[in-house]
Amino acid sequence: MAGNLFKGRCSSLFDYKTEKYIVAKNKRVGVLYRLIQLSIIGYIIGWVFVSKKGYQETDEAVQSSVITKLKGVSVTNTTESGLLVWGPEDYVIPPQGEAVLFVVTNFLETPNQKLGYCAESPKVLDGRCQDDKDCENGKMVVAGHGVKSGRCLRKDDNSSGTCEIFGWCPTERKFKPQRALLANAENFTIYIKNFIQFPKFQFTKSNVLDTTDESYLKKCQYDAELNPYCPIFRLGDITRRAGYKFQDMATFGASIGIMIQWDCDLDKGYSSCHPQYKFTRLDISVSNKTITVGFNFRHTRYYKNAAGETFRSLFKVYGVRFNIMVHGKVWKICFSGCWMKEIKYSVVALRCFMILVITN
């Protein structure tokens, strides 16, 4: 038995096998067969290669680091603050140079506030009163500036008044600014240093020109044609490229997006990979009918007098908020057959479709 099995296997080594074909004399099946063949070829050429670029391997997982630095000086002269010189350490918030930063262009100051008792602002609805019963002692003023003391301060018995509060007095001055105090801020320059890495291809690059000339960054300014690798931008030019005048947004502030796009064909070499910059305003709605245009917030500066009493100055600052966003995609020809799987799946799917059509 074992001998016959061994003999049969040995003899099968010299067998010759061919596939058996059946020719169906059916025009309907033949036309459908050719159409499916053409569909497969069209899918592979049109979709896999032309549209999806299946012959290329891509990486969109960009890893990025952004460092910023501003330069420029401005001078203001107000009744509250007097003559002040503003440097980057004063008008850049936060000062450490991040991808999101705020540049002060205007401000309102309420100086010399001290903890004590004073009247709540009449513009605060919860601070209005007719008598002492409306000012419950120890209750916080909703959207106000302090804690109610229990007294209603009125000019006379026939008028309404505001609750007395314990807080930083006097309360904040409420009025709209008429012009930008740091009007020449449009001439400030921002240095944006961007490092990117695509881990799949271990490709790294910077938006700064590779040069040994130490004076290059001191004298260059960005130009898409002449200086694409000079990452120094004038603030007025940024807003102009976004479609707005800097002076129109300096009074009440704005939010500007700076997009750095890295789309590179690595088959063309390292030197052909350039950053593309786009600028847009982010605080404008499509209808352009909104009360939320602009950007502002409050911060304080504390100090003590000779007697050791604590005072503060309250600043409501307006300015331009810059959001720096980095996106990218790199690609190169794939020589390892990475696109074959997609073609195999498409062929199998189309064959299954043909069988379903024939059987039905």
Side-chain angles (χ1 to χ4, degrees), residues 339-349:
W339 44 271
M340 288 301 296
K341 182 183 293 186
E342 186 172 355
I343 293 178
K344 288 178 180 178
Y345 287 155
S346 63
V347 172
V348 171

Side-chain angles (χ1 to χ4, degrees), residues 153-165:
L153 304 178
R154 297 181 296 169
K155 292 182 179 180
D156 53 63
D157 294 338
N158 297 322
S159 64
S160 61
T162 57
C163 294
E164 183 185 62
I165 61 167

